[in-house]
Amino acid sequence: MNDISVLVGGKAGDGINSAGAMVAQLLNHLGYRIYLYFDYPSLIRGGHNFAIIRGRETAPGTCGLRVDFVLALDQETVGKHKDAWKADTALIFNKDLVKSTGQGISIKEILAAEHAPDIMGNSAIIGGFAKAAGIAWKTVEAVFSSHIPKGTDQNLRVAKRAYDMVETVHPLVPCDNPPVPLLTGNEAIGLGMVNGGLEAYISYPMTPSSGLLHFLAEEQEKLGITVVHPENEIAVILMALGFASAGTKAAVGTSGGGFCLMTEGLSLAGMAELPVVILMSQRTGPSTGLPTYSGQSDLLFVQHAGQGEFPRFIVAPGTAEEALYWSEVAMHIAWEFQVPAFILSDKTLSENTYSADLSRVPKTRPAEYPLWDKTVPYRRYADTPSGISPLAFTGTGGAVVKVNSYAHDENGITTEDAGIVAKMTEKRLRKAEGLLQAMNRYPQVNISGNPAGMVALLCWGSTAGVCQEVAGPLGLRVVRPVVLSPFPAEPLRKALEGAGMVIAVEENATAQLAALTGQHGILCQKKILRYDGRPFTPDLLRDRIREVLS
Amino acid sequence: MTGRQLIADTENTWCPGCGNFSIQHTLKNVLADIEKEGQSLDNVVLVSGIGCHAKIADYLNINSFYSLHGRTIPVATGLKLANPDLTVICCSGDGDCYAEGLDHLLFAAKRNIDITVLVHNNRVYGLTTGQYTPTSPRGFKGKSTPLGTREDPFNPLELMLASGATYVARGYSKKMDLLRNLIREGIGHKGFAFIDILQICATFFPVADYYSSHVYDLAGHDRTDFPAACVKAREWDYNSDAPIALGTFYQKVSPVFEAKPAARKLSVAERGQAIRDLLEKKT
């Protein structure tokens, strides 16, 4: 199978992410399915950034350890990643700054010859790569034209000079796929939310969730949504609840630290039965932790955050395609059940780029929820068999809408009456039963690898790709709950039927999913954990599995 | 819905003599006036925090959002951005708005969101039974400060003038006619309206005699004169012995914060096309 990897490295500020994106688009237009991993420290200039772009005939979902091409804009790219080289790895480097074997080009001279600004230097390295990979010039022209709308011709001239200087080393074989959109997880989440009816997005910047804020802010006019960046995350979620009470579908996004500030608002959403969708994109914790690296250590936090007991929906998509689908579902669930709905992501999913083949994204059914039938007086918290009260919004003619954070009666008036408090608690919790039932309509648990494998890897979220890749050749089963609340205990039990050994694979130090399944009597015999901020690679995971099985 | 009974049947649990009664009745009268002028109260929403003041949400028969301690303003901002036709009134407390939620107050003034904030400033925490607040005088002996506070109070009017509030006023719960005018003006003001209301706490800070002997009407003050507003706001610092001006200190016309670009709701088809266009760009 065609499977190639390209490493692009340089200093922060060199535009490594955009260079990586261009490489990814070139491969996309050769029919490759893409996974782009972007690694950067928490600083603005200097420091070493790198991206690994992997292209394969079928969607890769993870990076390999070895690369076929290295594109070096700084010396560290050559020095730091030697363990990723193969015997025939092709190096293209900027010989003004880098000493290396391979093919050097002088970006300075090329830019001078074309009177081009420094910012176009990356076009030279991409041109060099295209030639080294034997990519036809017309493909380069097509990709530059659609992805560098400003100064396309000059960028192309810069690229062509490098293209003409470099020898083809590894000619790539095109794959039989049409090009598809390349999306970061955050972009896929945003488009899924919009598909689900999003009208307002409120967020305070925090890596790795900020990409969604930037994307929706940039596209707000086209998408017809309101985007607000308020003073802090407390205001973020309270504003979203204000929007919701006026009938506007709102979502928020943050990472662990910001979510800490949101928890009082989350509990309010639970008590006041206000729909809100929350992107919680995890990074390495605790506290400030590693801002630009990944982790899966907030599952139990999100599961339990907020005082008191109230139903919530939590979904952890594993790819951009899943993010598109489940973010739309999350919007529907929030409004159907008047509950908070979480999209639990991490740096890996949020910031990496994936091929999103829309033909693989299932259609969702539109949200259905009861609206007030104009019977007076309106009772915001009318007790019903499902626990779901018909909705009227603040400003609806004829309705007095009373939203309340206190224990309240059906009208929304504060009460301390023991009987009413118990009855309304039961009303809210009945929604959890309905939610659990409704989940049977959705693919809550994903099974891949060898479905009959006696050894099962149990994972969640962004480790989907790496587990699937490693499991295949080893004959292992991969079981991945995508919905994490309400917990799909029965489907999960069924998915694990016949597995003699369950190995939890998680990017945290305490195996949080294993703890959660344990509460439902589903036990993991072994655990493979990584907690240094870096995602599992197939090689590392394979070694750890062999250790565990020996 | 017209001609509604504005005072709800709910049992009222404020202490006898509480200044909240007069604020509630003043607000009721303002609402009745608004309705008489032809505006439907269906488009009015009251957002309250947590504290004695906040019970007003249960006691007035209008749309309400009984929010969290300190969090009236972000909820009110969300409501107003979602539906600009709403008249959004925040009833907030001094502990609520000047301590727990001070950041939201400053930012609401900074961005000039078109809401009206009434601070029931009794200068003490009542519902938690008597602790000092950001506006209690220095030396205040409360349950958390039995030896007396060792810090000066905030002057909320100065804070608001510094933060860019475009309507700044002070009322007093025992001057209901003036308060009624201020609230009417505040609601009518296009932008962020702030009214600090000196309110009697009959149980924990009963200073009605002091207020009544020190307050005077700001008649003749030029409300468009910012330096003059600052001087008037500093006359009494919520601490020392000084005359206490009541009325409108400052008002200014300024662009209001709206959901901009005014988000036009797209049809499902338009939205689908917008998404397809975006995906095309990413291919």
Side-chain angles (χ1 to χ4, degrees), chain A residues 25 147 182 187 194 198-199 231-232 264 398 401-403 405 414, chain B residues 42 57-58 60 62-64 66 71 103-104 111 265 271 282-283:
Chain A
Q25 282 296 356
H147 295 281
L182 302 187
E187 289 166 344
V194 174
L198 182 79
E199 293 164 297
E231 57 272 27
N232 56 35
E264 65 166 13
V401 182
K402 299 198 86 75
V403 177
S405 72
T414 307
Chain B
D42 291 345
D58 283 340
L60 281 175
I62 58 170
N63 294 317
S64 61
Y66 205 148
R71 312 297 174 218
D103 40 1
H104 310 305
R111 56 174 80 100
K265 287 196 180 178
R271 187 174 274 244
K282 302 274 181 190
T283 306

PDB file of all heavy atoms in Angstrom, chain A residues 25 147 182 187 194 198-199 231-232 264 398 401-403 405 414, chain B residues 42 57-58 60 62-64 66 71 103-104 111 265 271 282-283:
ATOM      1  N   GLN A  25      -1.677  19.047   1.107  1.00  0.00           N
ATOM      2  CA  GLN A  25      -2.568  19.254  -0.045  1.00  0.00           C
ATOM      3  C   GLN A  25      -1.998  18.632  -1.323  1.00  0.00           C
ATOM      4  O   GLN A  25      -2.738  18.095  -2.145  1.00  0.00           O
ATOM      5  CB  GLN A  25      -2.859  20.743  -0.259  1.00  0.00           C
ATOM      6  CG  GLN A  25      -3.888  21.333   0.705  1.00  0.00           C
ATOM      7  CD  GLN A  25      -5.278  20.728   0.562  1.00  0.00           C
ATOM      8  OE1 GLN A  25      -5.536  19.895  -0.324  1.00  0.00           O
ATOM      9  NE2 GLN A  25      -6.190  21.107   1.450  1.00  0.00           N
ATOM     10  N   HIS A 147      -4.744  27.169  -2.871  1.00  0.00           N
ATOM     11  CA  HIS A 147      -4.450  27.331  -1.442  1.00  0.00           C
ATOM     12  C   HIS A 147      -3.561  28.510  -1.087  1.00  0.00           C
ATOM     13  O   HIS A 147      -3.386  28.813   0.087  1.00  0.00           O
ATOM     14  CB  HIS A 147      -3.889  26.028  -0.875  1.00  0.00           C
ATOM     15  CG  HIS A 147      -4.909  24.934  -0.914  1.00  0.00           C
ATOM     16  ND1 HIS A 147      -5.913  24.848   0.027  1.00  0.00           N
ATOM     17  CD2 HIS A 147      -5.133  23.945  -1.795  1.00  0.00           C
ATOM     18  CE1 HIS A 147      -6.695  23.832  -0.272  1.00  0.00           C
ATOM     19  NE2 HIS A 147      -6.253  23.263  -1.381  1.00  0.00           N
ATOM     20  N   LEU A 182      -9.354  18.672   3.731  1.00  0.00           N
ATOM     21  CA  LEU A 182      -8.460  18.390   4.841  1.00  0.00           C
ATOM     22  C   LEU A 182      -8.862  19.309   5.987  1.00  0.00           C
ATOM     23  O   LEU A 182      -8.867  20.529   5.836  1.00  0.00           O
ATOM     24  CB  LEU A 182      -6.999  18.653   4.454  1.00  0.00           C
ATOM     25  CG  LEU A 182      -6.448  17.877   3.254  1.00  0.00           C
ATOM     26  CD1 LEU A 182      -4.950  18.126   3.104  1.00  0.00           C
ATOM     27  CD2 LEU A 182      -6.725  16.377   3.399  1.00  0.00           C
ATOM     28  N   GLU A 187     -11.716  22.295  13.264  1.00  0.00           N
ATOM     29  CA  GLU A 187     -12.564  22.754  12.147  1.00  0.00           C
ATOM     30  C   GLU A 187     -13.739  21.790  11.931  1.00  0.00           C
ATOM     31  O   GLU A 187     -14.868  22.224  11.676  1.00  0.00           O
ATOM     32  CB  GLU A 187     -11.737  22.864  10.862  1.00  0.00           C
ATOM     33  CG  GLU A 187     -10.748  24.024  10.875  1.00  0.00           C
ATOM     34  CD  GLU A 187      -9.698  23.962   9.772  1.00  0.00           C
ATOM     35  OE1 GLU A 187      -9.514  22.880   9.158  1.00  0.00           O
ATOM     36  OE2 GLU A 187      -9.042  24.988   9.533  1.00  0.00           O
ATOM     37  N   VAL A 194     -22.155  23.682  13.368  1.00  0.00           N
ATOM     38  CA  VAL A 194     -22.976  24.520  12.481  1.00  0.00           C
ATOM     39  C   VAL A 194     -24.038  23.659  11.796  1.00  0.00           C
ATOM     40  O   VAL A 194     -25.206  24.048  11.710  1.00  0.00           O
ATOM     41  CB  VAL A 194     -22.094  25.263  11.455  1.00  0.00           C
ATOM     42  CG1 VAL A 194     -22.956  26.016  10.451  1.00  0.00           C
ATOM     43  CG2 VAL A 194     -21.160  26.232  12.165  1.00  0.00           C
ATOM     44  N   LEU A 198     -25.824  25.452  15.168  1.00  0.00           N
ATOM     45  CA  LEU A 198     -25.128  26.459  15.987  1.00  0.00           C
ATOM     46  C   LEU A 198     -25.429  27.879  15.502  1.00  0.00           C
ATOM     47  O   LEU A 198     -25.371  28.151  14.303  1.00  0.00           O
ATOM     48  CB  LEU A 198     -23.607  26.227  15.926  1.00  0.00           C
ATOM     49  CG  LEU A 198     -22.775  27.192  16.778  1.00  0.00           C
ATOM     50  CD1 LEU A 198     -22.805  26.766  18.240  1.00  0.00           C
ATOM     51  CD2 LEU A 198     -21.332  27.273  16.291  1.00  0.00           C
ATOM     52  N   GLU A 199     -25.755  28.767  16.458  1.00  0.00           N
ATOM     53  CA  GLU A 199     -26.003  30.172  16.105  1.00  0.00           C
ATOM     54  C   GLU A 199     -25.041  31.120  16.817  1.00  0.00           C
ATOM     55  O   GLU A 199     -24.883  32.259  16.403  1.00  0.00           O
ATOM     56  CB  GLU A 199     -27.444  30.553  16.460  1.00  0.00           C
ATOM     57  CG  GLU A 199     -28.473  29.831  15.603  1.00  0.00           C
ATOM     58  CD  GLU A 199     -29.867  29.906  16.192  1.00  0.00           C
ATOM     59  OE1 GLU A 199     -30.066  29.375  17.312  1.00  0.00           O
ATOM     60  OE2 GLU A 199     -30.744  30.491  15.562  1.00  0.00           O
ATOM     61  N   GLU A 231     -14.674  38.223  28.809  1.00  0.00           N
ATOM     62  CA  GLU A 231     -13.573  38.480  29.747  1.00  0.00           C
ATOM     63  C   GLU A 231     -12.953  37.229  30.348  1.00  0.00           C
ATOM     64  O   GLU A 231     -11.792  37.237  30.730  1.00  0.00           O
ATOM     65  CB  GLU A 231     -14.035  39.435  30.860  1.00  0.00           C
ATOM     66  CG  GLU A 231     -15.247  38.999  31.687  1.00  0.00           C
ATOM     67  CD  GLU A 231     -16.578  39.446  31.076  1.00  0.00           C
ATOM     68  OE1 GLU A 231     -16.640  39.627  29.838  1.00  0.00           O
ATOM     69  OE2 GLU A 231     -17.553  39.574  31.836  1.00  0.00           O
ATOM     70  N   ASN A 232     -13.682  36.159  30.469  1.00  0.00           N
ATOM     71  CA  ASN A 232     -13.119  34.935  31.049  1.00  0.00           C
ATOM     72  C   ASN A 232     -14.100  33.788  30.812  1.00  0.00           C
ATOM     73  O   ASN A 232     -15.186  33.981  30.275  1.00  0.00           O
ATOM     74  CB  ASN A 232     -12.820  35.097  32.550  1.00  0.00           C
ATOM     75  CG  ASN A 232     -14.036  35.532  33.350  1.00  0.00           C
ATOM     76  OD1 ASN A 232     -15.155  35.148  33.056  1.00  0.00           O
ATOM     77  ND2 ASN A 232     -13.830  36.341  34.367  1.00  0.00           N
ATOM     78  N   GLU A 264     -19.202  26.050  37.647  1.00  0.00           N
ATOM     79  CA  GLU A 264     -20.412  26.551  38.308  1.00  0.00           C
ATOM     80  C   GLU A 264     -21.511  26.804  37.261  1.00  0.00           C
ATOM     81  O   GLU A 264     -22.690  26.562  37.519  1.00  0.00           O
ATOM     82  CB  GLU A 264     -20.137  27.818  39.138  1.00  0.00           C
ATOM     83  CG  GLU A 264     -19.714  29.034  38.313  1.00  0.00           C
ATOM     84  CD  GLU A 264     -19.772  30.349  39.087  1.00  0.00           C
ATOM     85  OE1 GLU A 264     -19.897  30.328  40.323  1.00  0.00           O
ATOM     86  OE2 GLU A 264     -19.704  31.401  38.430  1.00  0.00           O
ATOM     87  N   GLY A 398     -46.751  35.972  25.461  1.00  0.00           N
ATOM     88  CA  GLY A 398     -47.731  35.260  26.266  1.00  0.00           C
ATOM     89  C   GLY A 398     -47.133  34.357  27.331  1.00  0.00           C
ATOM     90  O   GLY A 398     -47.853  33.867  28.197  1.00  0.00           O
ATOM     91  N   VAL A 401     -41.394  33.319  31.340  1.00  0.00           N
ATOM     92  CA  VAL A 401     -40.380  32.258  31.396  1.00  0.00           C
ATOM     93  C   VAL A 401     -39.485  32.514  32.605  1.00  0.00           C
ATOM     94  O   VAL A 401     -38.793  33.526  32.661  1.00  0.00           O
ATOM     95  CB  VAL A 401     -39.536  32.244  30.108  1.00  0.00           C
ATOM     96  CG1 VAL A 401     -38.508  31.107  30.155  1.00  0.00           C
ATOM     97  CG2 VAL A 401     -40.424  32.107  28.880  1.00  0.00           C
ATOM     98  N   LYS A 402     -39.556  31.612  33.586  1.00  0.00           N
ATOM     99  CA  LYS A 402     -38.757  31.810  34.790  1.00  0.00           C
ATOM    100  C   LYS A 402     -37.708  30.707  34.898  1.00  0.00           C
ATOM    101  O   LYS A 402     -38.004  29.554  35.155  1.00  0.00           O
ATOM    102  CB  LYS A 402     -39.666  31.870  36.027  1.00  0.00           C
ATOM    103  CG  LYS A 402     -40.657  33.052  35.934  1.00  0.00           C
ATOM    104  CD  LYS A 402     -41.283  33.464  37.232  1.00  0.00           C
ATOM    105  CE  LYS A 402     -40.513  34.443  38.060  1.00  0.00           C
ATOM    106  NZ  LYS A 402     -40.526  35.831  37.587  1.00  0.00           N
ATOM    107  N   VAL A 403     -36.453  31.120  34.638  1.00  0.00           N
ATOM    108  CA  VAL A 403     -35.312  30.196  34.693  1.00  0.00           C
ATOM    109  C   VAL A 403     -34.699  30.347  36.090  1.00  0.00           C
ATOM    110  O   VAL A 403     -34.605  31.452  36.603  1.00  0.00           O
ATOM    111  CB  VAL A 403     -34.282  30.587  33.610  1.00  0.00           C
ATOM    112  CG1 VAL A 403     -33.046  29.709  33.681  1.00  0.00           C
ATOM    113  CG2 VAL A 403     -34.925  30.521  32.227  1.00  0.00           C
ATOM    114  N   SER A 405     -31.703  28.939  39.151  1.00  0.00           N
ATOM    115  CA  SER A 405     -30.575  28.113  39.623  1.00  0.00           C
ATOM    116  C   SER A 405     -30.885  27.453  40.954  1.00  0.00           C
ATOM    117  O   SER A 405     -30.243  26.487  41.345  1.00  0.00           O
ATOM    118  CB  SER A 405     -29.321  28.976  39.780  1.00  0.00           C
ATOM    119  OG  SER A 405     -29.447  29.840  40.895  1.00  0.00           O
ATOM    120  N   THR A 414     -38.520  29.495  43.200  1.00  0.00           N
ATOM    121  CA  THR A 414     -37.697  28.874  44.238  1.00  0.00           C
ATOM    122  C   THR A 414     -38.556  28.139  45.259  1.00  0.00           C
ATOM    123  O   THR A 414     -39.590  28.648  45.689  1.00  0.00           O
ATOM    124  CB  THR A 414     -36.885  29.972  44.943  1.00  0.00           C
ATOM    125  OG1 THR A 414     -36.200  30.717  43.948  1.00  0.00           O
ATOM    126  CG2 THR A 414     -35.898  29.375  45.937  1.00  0.00           C
TER     127      THR A 414
ATOM    128  N   ASP B  42     -43.769  41.094  27.804  1.00  0.00           N
ATOM    129  CA  ASP B  42     -43.229  39.803  27.351  1.00  0.00           C
ATOM    130  C   ASP B  42     -41.784  39.953  26.874  1.00  0.00           C
ATOM    131  O   ASP B  42     -41.037  38.981  26.826  1.00  0.00           O
ATOM    132  CB  ASP B  42     -44.065  39.236  26.193  1.00  0.00           C
ATOM    133  CG  ASP B  42     -45.448  38.816  26.656  1.00  0.00           C
ATOM    134  OD1 ASP B  42     -45.655  38.690  27.883  1.00  0.00           O
ATOM    135  OD2 ASP B  42     -46.324  38.621  25.792  1.00  0.00           O
ATOM    136  N   ALA B  57     -36.589  38.065  41.761  1.00  0.00           N
ATOM    137  CA  ALA B  57     -36.921  37.267  40.565  1.00  0.00           C
ATOM    138  C   ALA B  57     -38.168  36.430  40.803  1.00  0.00           C
ATOM    139  O   ALA B  57     -38.988  36.238  39.892  1.00  0.00           O
ATOM    140  CB  ALA B  57     -35.747  36.366  40.188  1.00  0.00           C
ATOM    141  N   ASP B  58     -38.314  35.926  42.030  1.00  0.00           N
ATOM    142  CA  ASP B  58     -39.504  35.143  42.366  1.00  0.00           C
ATOM    143  C   ASP B  58     -40.718  36.037  42.626  1.00  0.00           C
ATOM    144  O   ASP B  58     -41.850  35.594  42.515  1.00  0.00           O
ATOM    145  CB  ASP B  58     -39.248  34.325  43.641  1.00  0.00           C
ATOM    146  CG  ASP B  58     -38.380  33.093  43.397  1.00  0.00           C
ATOM    147  OD1 ASP B  58     -38.288  32.643  42.232  1.00  0.00           O
ATOM    148  OD2 ASP B  58     -37.793  32.590  44.373  1.00  0.00           O
ATOM    149  N   LEU B  60     -41.544  39.082  41.262  1.00  0.00           N
ATOM    150  CA  LEU B  60     -42.140  39.859  40.170  1.00  0.00           C
ATOM    151  C   LEU B  60     -42.581  38.891  39.074  1.00  0.00           C
ATOM    152  O   LEU B  60     -41.826  37.994  38.667  1.00  0.00           O
ATOM    153  CB  LEU B  60     -41.127  40.863  39.595  1.00  0.00           C
ATOM    154  CG  LEU B  60     -40.918  42.150  40.396  1.00  0.00           C
ATOM    155  CD1 LEU B  60     -39.806  42.982  39.769  1.00  0.00           C
ATOM    156  CD2 LEU B  60     -42.193  42.982  40.500  1.00  0.00           C
ATOM    157  N   ILE B  62     -42.658  38.520  35.931  1.00  0.00           N
ATOM    158  CA  ILE B  62     -42.157  38.771  34.575  1.00  0.00           C
ATOM    159  C   ILE B  62     -41.090  37.720  34.273  1.00  0.00           C
ATOM    160  O   ILE B  62     -40.664  36.994  35.165  1.00  0.00           O
ATOM    161  CB  ILE B  62     -41.544  40.188  34.414  1.00  0.00           C
ATOM    162  CG1 ILE B  62     -40.390  40.391  35.411  1.00  0.00           C
ATOM    163  CG2 ILE B  62     -42.595  41.259  34.584  1.00  0.00           C
ATOM    164  CD1 ILE B  62     -39.601  41.653  35.149  1.00  0.00           C
ATOM    165  N   ASN B  63     -40.664  37.666  33.005  1.00  0.00           N
ATOM    166  CA  ASN B  63     -39.574  36.756  32.650  1.00  0.00           C
ATOM    167  C   ASN B  63     -38.402  36.992  33.576  1.00  0.00           C
ATOM    168  O   ASN B  63     -38.054  38.148  33.866  1.00  0.00           O
ATOM    169  CB  ASN B  63     -39.069  37.043  31.228  1.00  0.00           C
ATOM    170  CG  ASN B  63     -40.107  36.742  30.176  1.00  0.00           C
ATOM    171  OD1 ASN B  63     -40.783  35.722  30.237  1.00  0.00           O
ATOM    172  ND2 ASN B  63     -40.232  37.643  29.212  1.00  0.00           N
ATOM    173  N   SER B  64     -37.785  35.914  34.039  1.00  0.00           N
ATOM    174  CA  SER B  64     -36.624  36.117  34.904  1.00  0.00           C
ATOM    175  C   SER B  64     -35.620  35.004  34.714  1.00  0.00           C
ATOM    176  O   SER B  64     -35.944  33.911  34.242  1.00  0.00           O
ATOM    177  CB  SER B  64     -37.062  36.189  36.364  1.00  0.00           C
ATOM    178  OG  SER B  64     -37.692  34.978  36.748  1.00  0.00           O
ATOM    179  N   TYR B  66     -32.938  33.608  37.319  1.00  0.00           N
ATOM    180  CA  TYR B  66     -32.381  33.660  38.671  1.00  0.00           C
ATOM    181  C   TYR B  66     -31.034  32.965  38.577  1.00  0.00           C
ATOM    182  O   TYR B  66     -30.946  31.751  38.606  1.00  0.00           O
ATOM    183  CB  TYR B  66     -33.340  32.919  39.614  1.00  0.00           C
ATOM    184  CG  TYR B  66     -33.311  33.293  41.070  1.00  0.00           C
ATOM    185  CD1 TYR B  66     -34.483  33.217  41.838  1.00  0.00           C
ATOM    186  CD2 TYR B  66     -32.146  33.687  41.704  1.00  0.00           C
ATOM    187  CE1 TYR B  66     -34.498  33.531  43.182  1.00  0.00           C
ATOM    188  CE2 TYR B  66     -32.155  34.009  43.055  1.00  0.00           C
ATOM    189  CZ  TYR B  66     -33.323  33.926  43.783  1.00  0.00           C
ATOM    190  OH  TYR B  66     -33.333  34.229  45.121  1.00  0.00           O
ATOM    191  N   ARG B  71     -23.179  36.637  38.806  1.00  0.00           N
ATOM    192  CA  ARG B  71     -23.209  36.313  37.371  1.00  0.00           C
ATOM    193  C   ARG B  71     -24.428  36.864  36.637  1.00  0.00           C
ATOM    194  O   ARG B  71     -24.860  36.303  35.639  1.00  0.00           O
ATOM    195  CB  ARG B  71     -23.146  34.801  37.154  1.00  0.00           C
ATOM    196  CG  ARG B  71     -22.084  34.070  37.923  1.00  0.00           C
ATOM    197  CD  ARG B  71     -20.669  34.478  37.554  1.00  0.00           C
ATOM    198  NE  ARG B  71     -19.723  33.818  38.442  1.00  0.00           N
ATOM    199  CZ  ARG B  71     -18.621  34.372  38.931  1.00  0.00           C
ATOM    200  NH1 ARG B  71     -18.294  35.616  38.620  1.00  0.00           N
ATOM    201  NH2 ARG B  71     -17.833  33.702  39.735  1.00  0.00           N
ATOM    202  N   ASP B 103     -15.515  41.631  37.690  1.00  0.00           N
ATOM    203  CA  ASP B 103     -14.953  41.626  36.336  1.00  0.00           C
ATOM    204  C   ASP B 103     -16.057  41.809  35.288  1.00  0.00           C
ATOM    205  O   ASP B 103     -15.897  42.554  34.325  1.00  0.00           O
ATOM    206  CB  ASP B 103     -14.154  40.340  36.069  1.00  0.00           C
ATOM    207  CG  ASP B 103     -14.803  39.089  36.636  1.00  0.00           C
ATOM    208  OD1 ASP B 103     -15.902  39.207  37.228  1.00  0.00           O
ATOM    209  OD2 ASP B 103     -14.241  37.993  36.484  1.00  0.00           O
ATOM    210  N   HIS B 104     -17.185  41.147  35.497  1.00  0.00           N
ATOM    211  CA  HIS B 104     -18.260  41.249  34.507  1.00  0.00           C
ATOM    212  C   HIS B 104     -18.816  42.675  34.444  1.00  0.00           C
ATOM    213  O   HIS B 104     -19.151  43.178  33.386  1.00  0.00           O
ATOM    214  CB  HIS B 104     -19.396  40.280  34.836  1.00  0.00           C
ATOM    215  CG  HIS B 104     -18.929  38.879  35.096  1.00  0.00           C
ATOM    216  ND1 HIS B 104     -18.152  38.181  34.189  1.00  0.00           N
ATOM    217  CD2 HIS B 104     -19.112  38.041  36.150  1.00  0.00           C
ATOM    218  CE1 HIS B 104     -17.884  36.969  34.679  1.00  0.00           C
ATOM    219  NE2 HIS B 104     -18.454  36.868  35.862  1.00  0.00           N
ATOM    220  N   ARG B 111     -17.751  47.487  27.297  1.00  0.00           N
ATOM    221  CA  ARG B 111     -18.251  47.180  25.952  1.00  0.00           C
ATOM    222  C   ARG B 111     -19.581  47.875  25.652  1.00  0.00           C
ATOM    223  O   ARG B 111     -20.073  47.803  24.540  1.00  0.00           O
ATOM    224  CB  ARG B 111     -18.330  45.676  25.711  1.00  0.00           C
ATOM    225  CG  ARG B 111     -19.120  44.829  26.616  1.00  0.00           C
ATOM    226  CD  ARG B 111     -19.196  43.373  26.128  1.00  0.00           C
ATOM    227  NE  ARG B 111     -18.018  42.574  26.424  1.00  0.00           N
ATOM    228  CZ  ARG B 111     -17.909  41.715  27.446  1.00  0.00           C
ATOM    229  NH1 ARG B 111     -18.905  41.551  28.290  1.00  0.00           N
ATOM    230  NH2 ARG B 111     -16.817  41.026  27.631  1.00  0.00           N
ATOM    231  N   LYS B 265     -29.585  35.273  10.349  1.00  0.00           N
ATOM    232  CA  LYS B 265     -29.807  33.831  10.399  1.00  0.00           C
ATOM    233  C   LYS B 265     -29.964  33.290   8.983  1.00  0.00           C
ATOM    234  O   LYS B 265     -30.715  33.820   8.191  1.00  0.00           O
ATOM    235  CB  LYS B 265     -31.043  33.510  11.240  1.00  0.00           C
ATOM    236  CG  LYS B 265     -30.767  33.713  12.721  1.00  0.00           C
ATOM    237  CD  LYS B 265     -31.785  33.079  13.635  1.00  0.00           C
ATOM    238  CE  LYS B 265     -31.394  33.353  15.076  1.00  0.00           C
ATOM    239  NZ  LYS B 265     -32.345  32.821  16.041  1.00  0.00           N
ATOM    240  N   ARG B 271     -27.063  27.777   4.667  1.00  0.00           N
ATOM    241  CA  ARG B 271     -26.054  27.281   5.593  1.00  0.00           C
ATOM    242  C   ARG B 271     -25.320  26.080   4.977  1.00  0.00           C
ATOM    243  O   ARG B 271     -24.096  25.997   5.034  1.00  0.00           O
ATOM    244  CB  ARG B 271     -26.781  26.876   6.885  1.00  0.00           C
ATOM    245  CG  ARG B 271     -25.915  26.482   8.018  1.00  0.00           C
ATOM    246  CD  ARG B 271     -26.789  26.255   9.241  1.00  0.00           C
ATOM    247  NE  ARG B 271     -27.002  27.505   9.936  1.00  0.00           N
ATOM    248  CZ  ARG B 271     -26.563  27.740  11.182  1.00  0.00           C
ATOM    249  NH1 ARG B 271     -25.951  26.793  11.843  1.00  0.00           N
ATOM    250  NH2 ARG B 271     -26.764  28.878  11.773  1.00  0.00           N
ATOM    251  N   LYS B 282     -11.072  23.850   1.447  1.00  0.00           N
ATOM    252  CA  LYS B 282     -10.132  23.015   2.217  1.00  0.00           C
ATOM    253  C   LYS B 282      -9.678  21.798   1.413  1.00  0.00           C
ATOM    254  O   LYS B 282      -9.006  20.928   1.964  1.00  0.00           O
ATOM    255  CB  LYS B 282     -10.810  22.539   3.501  1.00  0.00           C
ATOM    256  CG  LYS B 282     -11.297  23.654   4.404  1.00  0.00           C
ATOM    257  CD  LYS B 282     -10.192  24.103   5.304  1.00  0.00           C
ATOM    258  CE  LYS B 282     -10.670  25.210   6.248  1.00  0.00           C
ATOM    259  NZ  LYS B 282      -9.531  25.808   6.947  1.00  0.00           N
ATOM    260  N   THR B 283     -10.125  21.687   0.175  1.00  0.00           N
ATOM    261  CA  THR B 283      -9.802  20.485  -0.615  1.00  0.00           C
ATOM    262  C   THR B 283      -8.624  20.751  -1.562  1.00  0.00           C
ATOM    263  O   THR B 283      -8.569  21.813  -2.154  1.00  0.00           O
ATOM    264  CB  THR B 283     -11.033  20.043  -1.435  1.00  0.00           C
ATOM    265  OG1 THR B 283     -12.123  19.882  -0.544  1.00  0.00           O
ATOM    266  CG2 THR B 283     -10.764  18.726  -2.145  1.00  0.00           C
TER     267      THR B 283
END
